[in-house]
């Protein structure tokens, strides 16, 4: 079999350039309507399954364990949590080196079994630890648009 | 259920950027597997194909595209796909076909060509994450794994420099593998000094982008005994899926794997895996993942795998050799083909035909696993001679 270098100049080998040209508009869904609209209000919403005693974050319309419907079980879960685990990443998803590495964490929202993935801010990487209390920092109200990015990042609770 | 054996195997070399098209890769592996047991395409009753995201090869519905290269012309043909777990689901899928009594022979083919994707195949993973809650944060696979590795290390008090020994071991094992893409003699320092990708993951903790294909030939017992004096039996199959909400899992322990392993061990009649299994091919796309999976396969107590690694337990001449092939870290990681490569390694080892890679002590029982989907699927096979 022939070994060829990553195509930069393709003079020695036949090739064809192509794309799969599709783009998408994703609905946020029924539970998403609640979750993302409440982000505009600076709130994080989950959904509680009474039978399993589990609070999911973000809110969802059903419990995956018992299949109960949770649409009338949405609740405000506050904006505080704890770092469940974290990393600092140096490359983009396209494999390009970042100018400045970013800290990413999985945050368990207090009082729930739910988690959000988000950035950490206002802290040096060396100071981050598992179990550290953090809170969501929202964009200014006028800039919120019902996106997970309405939360700028989570920061340590002093 | 009928007993099913592997009677032949084929594997291309793993490269980054092969000239061959995906279906040409599939053809080379399939042809090699048929030749290895002196069978013809006309001896084959059905074909199953494992291949991971369409986005890598850039061919939508690539199962159909790959069918002719996989020997499926006018035969019953079915594709399966569970992300990174695909390559070990492949022999299980073939096993269904033969164990059921529907077919006497089955080709099991796995292929991946990751190098076609630009600017980087890792970009294809962005769209596996939740489109509204996670994709806006531009997650990468590496950072997700770094997050899991951190939790695994912190929970057990493992040291990064000890985990790095997995790369040292596997890349060295791969030096004896003719298909290997990244065989090397390296040191722990080399791993620690390699480029940091997402703390605590460095460049040499990660398997490469690869192109390649693999194939095994399955046969029902009465046919297998005519083909070879030493069929290698698929004695255990297991698969399971944990929650799609990956963040809610106890990331320090692979429950998805333990459930699958228990299913496979039960089928194979294995009660004490760490004693009854002689050789293992745990899925190792990252260094820590081999250890995570050794614990999930119950081949080491939780929190003890690193000490056993340091003590040489998992070396090729150790008590329980793991990834004697060289694994994904050394041989390469064309996703579905890499999983099947691990099964092929068990086949060769149990047959006693692994050449320079042969582990001592005439092993008779081996286990392989793979892992994938949204980091929640476990696939396990147990083979016996
Ligand atoms: Zn429930």
């Amino acid at each position: 079999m022939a070994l060829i270098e990553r195509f930069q100049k393709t003079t020695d080998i036949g090739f064809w350039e192509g794309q799969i040209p599709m783009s998408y508009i994703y609905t946020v869904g029924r539970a998403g309507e609640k979750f993302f609209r409440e982000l505009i209000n600076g709130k994080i919403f989950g959904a509680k399954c009474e039978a399993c005693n589990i609070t999911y974050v973000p809110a969802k319309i059903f419990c995956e364990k018992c299949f109960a419907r949770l649409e009338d079980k949405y609740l405000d879960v506050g904006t505080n949590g704890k770092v469940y685990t974290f990393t600092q990443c140096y490359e983009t998803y396209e494999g390009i080196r970042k100018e400045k590495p970013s800290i990413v964490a999985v945050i368990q929202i207090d009082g729930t079994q739910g988690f959000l993935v988000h950035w950490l801010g206002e802290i040096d990487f060396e100071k981050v630890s598992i179990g550290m209390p953090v809170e969501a920092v929202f964009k200014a109200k006028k800039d919120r648009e019902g996106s997970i990015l309405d939360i700028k990042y989570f920061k340590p609770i002093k | 259920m009928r007993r099913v054996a592997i009677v032949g195997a084929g594997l291309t070399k793993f490269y980054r950027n092969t000239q061959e098209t995906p279906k040409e890769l599939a053809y080379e592996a399939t042809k090699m597997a048929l030749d290895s047991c002196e069978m013809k395409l006309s001896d084959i009753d059905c074909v199953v194909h494992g291949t991971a995201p369409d986005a890598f090869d850039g061919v939508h519905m690539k199962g159909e595209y790959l069918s002719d290269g996989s020997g499926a012309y006018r035969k019953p043909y079915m594709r399966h796909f569970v992300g990174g777990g695909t390559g070990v689901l492949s022999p299980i899928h073939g096993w269904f076909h033969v164990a059921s009594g529907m077919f006497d022979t089955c080709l099991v083919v796995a292929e991946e060509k990751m190098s076609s994707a630009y600017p980087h195949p890792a970009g294809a993973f962005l769209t596996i994450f939740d489109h509204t809650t996670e994709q806006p944060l531009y997650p990468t696979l590496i950072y997700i794994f770094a997050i899991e590795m951190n939790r695994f290390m912190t929970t057990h008090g493992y040291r990064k420099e000890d985990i790095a020994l997995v790369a040292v071991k596997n890349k060295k094992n791969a030096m004896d593998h003719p298909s290997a893409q990244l065989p090397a003699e390296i040191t722990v320092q080399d791993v620690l000094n390699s480029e940091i990708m997402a703390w605590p993951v460095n460049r040499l903790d990660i398997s490469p982008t690869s192109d390649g294909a693999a194939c095994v030939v399955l046969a029902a017992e009465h046919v297998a005994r005519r083909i070879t004096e030493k069929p290698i039996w698929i004695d255990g199959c297991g698969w399971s899926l944990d929650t799609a909400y990956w963040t809610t899992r106890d990331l320090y322990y692979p429950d998805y794997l333990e459930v699958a392993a228990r299913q496979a061990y039960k089928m194979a009649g294995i009660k004490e895996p760490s004693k009854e299994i002689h050789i293992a091919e745990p899925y190792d796309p990252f260094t820590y993942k081999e250890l995570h999976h050794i614990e999930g396969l119950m081949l080491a107590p939780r929190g003890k795998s690193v000490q056993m690694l340091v003590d040489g337990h998992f070396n090729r001449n150790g008590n329980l050799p793991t990834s004697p092939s060289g694994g994904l870290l050394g041989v390469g990681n064309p996703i579905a083909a890499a999983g099947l490569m691990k099964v092929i390694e068990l086949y060769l080892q149990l047959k006693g035909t692994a050449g320079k890679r042969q582990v001592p002590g005439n092993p008779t029982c081996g286990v392989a696993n793979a892992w994938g989907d949204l980091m929640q699927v476990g696939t396990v096979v147990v083979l016996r001679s």
Side-chain angles (χ1 to χ4, degrees):
Chain A
M1 292 181 15
L3 173 62
I4 49 186
E5 294 303 313
R6 186 82 171 145
F7 297 141
Q8 302 296 343
K9 273 191 307 204
T10 47
T11 46
D12 308 343
I13 185 170
F15 73 100
W16 184 257
E17 255 183 65
Q19 304 89 38
I20 300 182
M22 291 292 287
S23 58
Y24 297 84
I25 293 176
Y26 300 108
T27 64
V28 297
R30 297 214 300 265
E33 284 294 333
K34 182 68 181 171
F35 179 78
F36 288 105
R37 287 188 192 286
E38 291 291 350
L39 283 181
I40 295 174
N41 300 325
K43 291 180 174 166
I44 297 174
F45 262 68
K48 181 165 188 180
C49 176
E50 308 278 358
C52 297
N53 197 24
I54 290 174
T55 302
Y56 294 96
V57 182
K60 44 192 285 190
I61 69 163
F62 63 92
C63 171
E64 64 178 338
K65 294 196 166 63
C66 73
F67 240 45
R69 194 172 284 281
L70 303 180
E71 278 178 288
D72 54 350
K73 307 289 184 193
Y74 297 152
L75 74 166
D76 182 345
V77 293
T79 57
N80 294 350
K82 293 191 179 58
V83 172
Y84 186 67
T85 175
F86 63 95
T87 180
Q88 172 155 267
C89 13
Y90 295 80
E91 284 202 356
T92 69
Y93 72 97
E94 292 177 315
I96 296 162
R97 213 72 191 159
K98 290 179 181 223
E99 282 180 19
K100 187 169 170 288
S102 52
I103 310 173
V104 178
V106 176
I107 293 136
Q108 181 163 21
I109 303 301
D110 287 347
T112 77
Q113 290 70 42
F115 300 78
L116 292 176
V117 184
H118 223 295
W119 294 302
L120 293 186
E122 301 182 35
I123 186 166
D124 292 331
F125 176 66
E126 292 68 31
K127 301 227 167 98
V128 182
S129 63
I130 288 178
M132 191 175 79
V134 291
E135 65 183 317
V137 177
F138 284 81
K139 286 181 179 168
K141 181 130 194 196
K142 64 175 173 47
D143 298 329
R144 294 178 204 158
E145 51 189 9
S147 150
I148 196 70
L149 301 180
D150 289 354
I151 299 173
K152 287 200 290 188
Y153 48 76
F154 281 75
K155 70 167 188 186
I157 296 175
K158 293 275 163 17
Chain B
M1 284 188 306
R2 303 194 297 177
R3 214 171 178 205
V4 180
I6 301 179
V7 296
L11 188 65
T12 68
K13 186 163 168 54
F14 291 175
Y15 279 137
R16 178 141 189 188
N17 301 312
T18 52
Q19 179 178 18
E20 285 78 1
T21 62
K23 70 170 70 183
E24 287 171 349
L25 288 170
Y27 168 77
E28 294 295 350
T30 306
K31 180 76 170 165
M32 196 188 305
L34 286 169
D35 289 349
S36 77
C37 53
E38 298 177 345
M39 289 174 78
K40 295 193 183 64
L41 197 52
S42 55
D43 298 322
I44 297 299
D45 294 342
C46 66
V47 181
V48 300
H49 192 104
T51 189
D54 289 353
F56 286 146
D57 295 39
V59 179
H60 203 183
M61 295 175 55
K62 71 171 161 165
E64 288 63 35
Y65 162 82
L66 288 162
S67 60
D68 54 346
S70 307
Y73 174 70
R74 291 195 167 174
K75 291 187 197 297
Y77 174 78
M78 201 180 283
R79 175 198 181 175
H80 53 272
F81 167 49
V82 286
T86 300
V88 174
L89 189 70
S90 299
I92 298 174
H93 191 203
W95 174 85
F96 296 157
H97 283 65
V98 180
S100 65
M102 281 284 280
F103 306 100
D104 283 343
T105 56
C106 178
L107 279 177
V108 175
V109 189
E111 180 278 343
E112 220 74 58
K113 180 164 181 170
M114 300 171 71
S115 64
S116 305
Y118 281 74
H120 193 283
F125 289 109
L126 175 64
T127 45
I128 72 175
F129 296 100
D130 187 280
H131 50 257
T132 45
T133 59
E134 292 174 356
Q135 282 185 34
L137 301 159
Y138 292 108
T140 73
L141 268 205
I142 293 171
Y143 96 45
I144 299 304
F145 299 142
I147 268 172
E148 188 174 74
M149 178 171 171
N150 183 7
R151 197 151 173 85
F152 181 54
M153 284 170 57
T154 305
T155 303
H156 295 307
Y158 288 155
R159 301 187 314 163
K160 196 168 143 43
E161 53 266 43
D162 293 334
I163 292 175
L165 279 169
V166 174
V168 175
K169 170 178 75 72
N170 290 7
K171 285 174 182 293
K172 181 150 191 285
N173 285 350
M175 292 185 71
D176 297 323
H177 201 307
S179 292
Q181 179 179 354
L182 286 180
E185 280 208 67
I186 57 166
T187 64
V188 165
Q189 269 313 315
D190 291 332
V191 180
L192 300 179
N193 293 342
S194 65
E195 194 178 23
I196 181 86
M197 306 297 286
W199 183 90
V201 174
N202 291 57
R203 172 81 62 190
L204 289 175
D205 285 303
I206 309 180
S207 57
T209 294
S210 314
D211 304 346
C215 175
V216 294
V217 183
L218 303 188
E221 181 163 11
H222 68 287
V223 179
R225 294 207 186 274
R226 289 205 303 267
I227 295 168
T228 173
E229 284 175 5
K230 198 161 184 189
I232 301 300
W233 305 101
I234 298 179
D235 273 359
C237 301
W239 62 98
S240 95
L241 198 74
D242 203 338
T243 174
Y245 296 86
W246 64 271
T247 51
T248 67
R249 295 200 299 271
D250 255 329
L251 299 172
Y252 83 93
Y253 186 73
D255 285 307
Y256 57 85
L257 177 55
E258 182 176 327
V259 173
R262 285 190 185 282
Q263 183 187 329
Y265 294 159
K266 187 177 175 198
M267 179 178 152
I270 290 173
K271 303 224 162 43
E272 290 189 81
S274 62
K275 294 202 178 111
E276 294 173 59
I277 289 167
H278 307 134
I279 176 175
E281 281 282 343
Y283 195 64
D284 65 325
F286 290 72
T287 46
Y288 80 97
K289 243 9 233 195
E290 171 151 328
L291 300 158
H292 208 227
H293 286 152
I294 284 171
E295 294 183 15
L297 287 165
M298 296 163 281
L299 300 176
R302 292 189 199 193
K304 295 280 185 279
S305 61
V306 166
Q307 191 55 50
M308 291 165 76
L309 173 74
V310 171
D311 294 343
H313 193 80
F314 304 125
N315 290 342
R316 193 179 280 155
N317 58 2
N319 284 339
L320 177 62
T322 61
S323 298
S325 63
L328 279 50
L329 290 163
V331 186
N333 189 11
I335 311 291
L340 194 55
M341 177 277 287
K342 287 189 156 280
V343 178
I344 290 173
E345 181 69 11
L346 294 183
Y347 165 75
L348 297 172
Q349 293 281 355
L350 297 175
K351 224 173 152 70
T353 56
K356 279 173 24 183
R357 301 191 311 286
Q358 186 65 47
V359 306
N362 301 313
T364 59
C365 182
V367 64
N369 90 283
W371 158 72
D373 277 347
L374 204 53
M375 296 152 291
Q376 88 259 49
V377 75
T379 51
V380 177
V381 294
V382 174
L383 301 187
R384 280 208 188 93
S385 57

